[in-house]
Amino acid sequence: MNLIQRLKSVGPGAMVAAAFIGPGTVTTASVTGAQFGYALLWTIAFSIVATIVLQEMSARLGLVSGEGLGEALRERFDSQAVEYVSIFLVVGAIGIGTAAYEAGNILGGAAGLATITGVSSTVWGVVMGLVAGVLLYTGRYELIERALVGLVAVMALSFVASAALIGPDFGAIAMGFVPGVPSGSLYLITGLIGTTIVGYNLFLHASNVQERWDGPEDIGRSRTDTILSIVVGGVITITIMVTAAAAFEPGTQISDVGRMAEQLRPLAGPYAELFFSIGLFAAGFTSATTAPLAGAWATTGALGWDSDLQSTRFRAVWGTILGVGVLSVLLGGSPVEIIVFAQVVNGILLPIVAIFLIYAMNQEDLLGEYTNGPVANALGAVVTIVVVWLGVRTILDVAGVL
């Protein structure tokens, strides 16, 4: 497969990258870079490898079984109690969770546009919500995919340009990939990994590969797409951290990533501010579009509903998620109680889904010759341990223990 063919394979994986490079990732990477400089770049490298491992399995499961992850989770066990628990966890963590975080996605992208235009982020938030709604309502997967792939490219170019203009220290960047845990950095390490290994992306990927490709014969294309796209997503996150590390003295506290774009102007000129703001908009819009899509695929799959992009129930689910986000923007905030609930349920669901994924990938009656080999299982086990750690820390953090 030559370079052009590989690039033509990019699609479903790029949607995964579009989903995890949202305002939350931009904020976490910016805060980390400003506070600890280049020291935690290794965390992003690890996160990308871990994400590739899980997303490759999810995509392979979808292509070979012809099922979404929600369907596979619901149908794999005979126990009705297990089925009900899985439905509750999926709908709670993915359906309600994506709705709770949607306001942050929209407001993050709107902050980028507000910096460029001077128009209120509330106005831009509503506009973004409407545009995302129209795009999803078309029910045309190819159109949605192309729009998101294009925005990922815009995001990559914008953040790379911003980092280049700020003038980073390349020697310090290289040293940042040597693992180390500076004092007080564990919380941000957890955050960086948690914003990259995203539970709903596993549901998104198992379903969207079926829209793009026909079956097991396309696993090679899917792997190429997954690796290329997620590596690009990792490079984007790295450039965001590098920009903050180069722009600010170590220990600087950043509370508003929208204002960070403005702070770049006196340091690297108006173009750095412009590129960072464009990247922030693209990050917000792509996440604001993929989150409802992932929520709809996960929820309809778990409930046994039709998961066709043009079905009424599918549209009702993503419409509700998007509507909650726009309403929260109009009301001036995010639904904090729902976010806390979503964090707790997601902290429980992600380890369960990771363990189930490893289990499913070893079932010959489901995948035949496409089951995991020893290397894939070993890598999956390491990633699952990390995911369990993330889940425990999330729950303890919400409970106020940490």
Side-chain angles (χ1 to χ4, degrees), residues 23-24 96-108 122 321 323-343:
I96 297 176
T98 49
Y101 296 127
E102 186 68 355
N105 293 331
I106 294 172
L107 282 172
T122 301
I321 293 168
V324 167
V326 173
L327 183 61
S328 297
V329 169
L330 289 172
L331 295 176
S334 300
V336 178
E337 294 82 2
I338 299 178
I339 288 176
V340 171
F341 167 78
Q343 285 178 323

Side-chain angles (χ1 to χ4, degrees), residues 94-95 98 290-302 306-307 313-315 317-319 321:
I94 311 299
T98 49
T290 51
L293 197 57
W297 263 320
T299 301
T300 54
D306 185 1
S307 293
R313 284 177 168 174
F314 190 89
R315 283 173 167 164
V317 175
W318 68 249
I321 293 168

Side-chain angles (χ1 to χ4, degrees), residues 2 21 25 44 63 104 114 121 167 178 235 261 274 277 282 327 343 371 374 378:
N2 61 38
I21 306 292
T25 299
I44 301 173
L63 283 173
S121 58
V178 178
V235 169
L274 175 64
S277 298
L327 183 61
Q343 285 178 323
T371 54

Side-chain angles (χ1 to χ4, degrees), residues 227-248:
I227 294 169
L228 282 177
S229 298
I230 294 175
V231 167
V232 168
V235 169
I236 292 172
T237 308
I238 287 170
T239 58
I240 296 167
M241 188 187 294
V242 164
T243 299
F248 304 108

Side-chain angles (χ1 to χ4, degrees), residues 17-373:
F20 74 73
I21 306 292
T25 299
V26 176
T27 300
T28 305
S30 298
V31 168
T32 304
Q35 196 164 344
F36 292 100
Y38 307 97
L40 296 180
L41 287 172
W42 66 268
T43 307
I44 301 173
F46 169 81
S47 300
I48 292 308
V49 173
T51 302
I52 288 172
V53 170
L54 289 182
Q55 295 296 159
E56 188 279 331
M57 290 185 195
S58 176
R60 183 158 31 109
L61 176 68
L63 283 173
V64 177
S65 70
E67 295 181 341
L69 191 52
E71 296 166 274
L73 192 61
R74 177 175 55 86
E75 296 175 356
R76 199 62 192 161
F77 303 103
D78 295 329
S79 170
Q80 197 169 52
V82 173
E83 180 181 336
Y84 288 150
V85 169
S86 67
I87 290 172
F88 169 78
L89 288 172
V90 171
V91 174
I94 311 299
I96 297 176
T98 49
Y101 296 127
E102 186 68 355
N105 293 331
I106 294 172
L107 282 172
L113 290 175
T115 302
I116 297 169
T117 64
V119 176
S120 163
S121 58
T122 301
V123 173
W124 279 122
V126 173
V127 172
M128 281 178 54
L130 291 173
V131 173
V134 170
L135 181 62
L136 291 174
Y137 192 79
T138 63
R140 294 171 56 195
Y141 174 79
E142 186 177 354
L143 175 63
I144 297 168
E145 182 190 274
R146 285 181 177 177
L148 294 174
V149 169
L151 282 171
V152 168
V154 168
M155 204 190 318
L157 291 172
S158 298
F159 284 127
V160 168
S162 179
L165 287 170
I166 205 72
D169 181 340
F170 290 101
I173 289 174
M175 291 302 297
F177 289 101
V178 178
V181 183
S183 177
S185 66
L186 190 58
Y187 182 78
L188 285 172
I189 290 174
T190 305
L192 285 169
I193 297 173
T195 57
T196 308
I197 306 173
V198 181
Y200 70 69
N201 272 346
L202 298 173
F203 291 84
L204 174 68
H205 210 178
S207 294
N208 71 3
V209 290
Q210 297 176 55
E211 298 286 340
R212 175 67 179 271
W213 293 301
D214 296 324
E217 64 273 14
D218 292 311
I219 286 177
R221 290 186 175 87
S222 175
R223 282 180 178 149
T224 298
D225 167 48
T226 299
I227 294 169
L228 282 177
S229 298
I230 294 175
V231 167
V232 168
V235 169
I236 292 172
T237 308
I238 287 170
T239 58
I240 296 167
M241 188 187 294
V242 164
T243 299
F248 304 108
E249 290 293 325
T252 301
Q253 301 292 324
I254 295 178
S255 57
D256 184 348
V257 74
R259 290 194 61 192
M260 178 179 161
E262 298 172 10
Q263 291 171 307
L264 292 177
R265 176 184 283 269
L267 297 168
Y271 289 113
E273 176 190 22
L274 175 64
F275 285 131
F276 193 89
S277 298
I278 291 172
L280 182 57
F281 152 69
F285 185 83
T286 53
S287 291
T289 305
T290 51
L293 197 57
W297 263 320
T299 301
T300 54
L303 295 174
W305 295 349
D306 185 1
S307 293
D308 183 87
L309 271 71
Q310 297 185 14
S311 71
T312 301
R313 284 177 168 174
F314 190 89
R315 283 173 167 164
V317 175
W318 68 249
T320 300
I321 293 168
L322 188 58
V324 167
V326 173
L327 183 61
S328 297
V329 169
L330 289 172
L331 295 176
S334 300
V336 178
E337 294 82 2
I338 299 178
I339 288 176
V340 171
F341 167 78
Q343 285 178 323
V344 172
V345 180
N346 194 63
I348 299 169
L349 177 69
L350 184 53
I352 290 174
V353 171
I355 292 168
F356 169 76
L357 194 54
I358 303 296
Y359 164 79
M361 299 310 293
N362 285 276
Q363 302 303 300
E364 289 191 9
D365 62 325
L366 181 67
L367 297 176
E369 63 183 290
Y370 299 101
T371 54
N372 274 358

